[in-house]
Amino acid sequence: MKFFIDTANLEQIKEAQDLGILDGVTTNPSLMAKEGITGKDNILKHYKNICEIVDGDVSAEVIATDFDNMIKEGEELASLNNQIVVKLPMIKDGVKAAKYFSNKGIKTNVTLVFSAGQALLAAKAGATYVSPFLGRLDDISTDGLNLISEIRDIYDNYDFSTEILAASIRHTMHIIDCAKIGADVITSPLSSITGLLKHPLTDIGLDKFLNDHKKGN
Ligand code: E4P
């Protein structure tokens, strides 16, 4: 399973990269705004900076919602660096744009996916990644993990190559459950990734080992 970090914060991206487990980055317009990155030139520069920190795929979301402008914007984003994955919303023109970019060999991430039917369309369009938002489904009392399972079954039935990128991760158990289901990728805040490190018995055990070592020396 690939680990992506879901942030536009360069320090957090560096921290995850230094941990040696990072396979890529996802961003969205809200995450860019949270870091105070505004204006086209600053946004493009920020994507370039992210690509310099990580080796893997970096999702950059288009703002346009019509086909022609999605293509224009997506091509400009893709030209920044070959790590860029054009992130497209799950709307009719987004599906058309995913097909267009797929034919051109440009990677895509179809985002804002909340149903198995939407995921099926994204795969048919040749998307590289599909992003079901499990936390946002959980937020409205709907089982987000069940959606990941449904998509896994559908993609396996037909050997679709689209990778399931479980998004909107809220905590460590989401990551573990996605791994059990067989999501190809999770994208998560840094806190949930580093949360996987923690176990009190590890800390107690390490303290004892170090104390015993001191006693014996
Ligand atoms: C990822 O690509 C999504 O933009 C992100 O995971 C959404 O997460 P949120 O529901 O925490 O905003």
Side-chain angles (χ1 to χ4, degrees):
M1 184 170 72
K2 293 183 205 165
F3 270 41
F4 289 180
I5 189 168
D6 194 28
T7 185
N9 182 289
L10 299 182
E11 291 310 310
Q12 291 185 13
I13 294 170
K14 276 184 203 141
E15 190 177 331
Q17 175 69 19
D18 288 349
L19 196 54
I21 51 80
L22 194 65
D23 299 297
V25 178
T26 53
T27 61
N28 63 39
S30 304
L31 293 171
M32 293 295 268
K34 191 174 164 196
E35 299 307 319
I37 314 298
T38 55
K40 187 179 164 188
D41 289 348
N42 289 334
I43 289 172
L44 296 181
K45 189 165 176 289
H46 202 71
Y47 285 135
K48 280 187 175 178
N49 291 339
I50 293 174
C51 290
E52 276 172 23
I53 299 170
V54 299
D55 303 319
D57 286 349
V58 175
S59 285
E61 189 158 342
V62 301
I63 303 301
T65 54
D66 66 285
F67 178 78
D68 289 342
N69 283 309
M70 279 182 182
I71 299 308
K72 198 171 150 208
E73 223 182 300
E75 280 178 341
E76 189 169 14
L77 289 167
S79 72
L80 292 176
N81 189 302
N82 62 14
Q83 289 166 258
I84 294 285
V85 176
V86 179
K87 202 171 177 190
L88 301 158
M90 171 35 82
I91 55 176
K92 194 193 273 185
D93 282 19
V95 172
K96 284 167 68 179
K99 183 67 185 171
Y100 172 90
F101 286 122
S102 163
N103 287 340
K104 293 195 86 180
I106 292 174
K107 286 182 276 189
T108 55
N109 174 358
V110 175
T111 190
L112 290 165
V113 166
F114 293 95
S115 77
Q118 291 178 324
L120 183 54
L121 280 178
K124 287 289 293 174
T128 315
Y129 299 104
V130 65
S131 288
F133 277 31
L134 72 101
R136 291 193 195 185
L137 282 169
D138 287 357
D139 289 346
I140 57 158
S141 308
T142 303
D143 188 351
L145 288 167
N146 185 51
L147 174 60
I148 309 283
S149 291
E150 284 184 329
I151 300 172
R152 181 74 283 153
D153 287 345
I154 291 168
Y155 283 11
D156 288 351
N157 281 346
Y158 299 99
D159 275 340
F160 282 121
S161 59
T162 301
E163 294 186 45
I164 302 172
L165 195 174
S168 188
I169 296 272
R170 299 272 192 263
H171 48 71
T172 53
M173 283 313 294
H174 272 159
I175 299 178
I176 293 162
D177 286 331
C178 282
K180 286 185 189 169
I181 291 166
D184 300 289
V185 192
I186 56 94
T187 189
S188 165
L190 181 62
S191 57
S192 300
I193 296 174
T194 54
L196 294 172
L197 286 165
K198 294 176 192 159
H199 198 291
L201 290 178
T202 303
D203 298 338
I204 291 166
L206 183 59
D207 274 352
K208 180 162 168 40
F209 285 158
L210 295 180
N211 282 330
D212 288 348
H213 173 76
K214 257 189 226 158
K215 280 183 219 157
N217 282 281

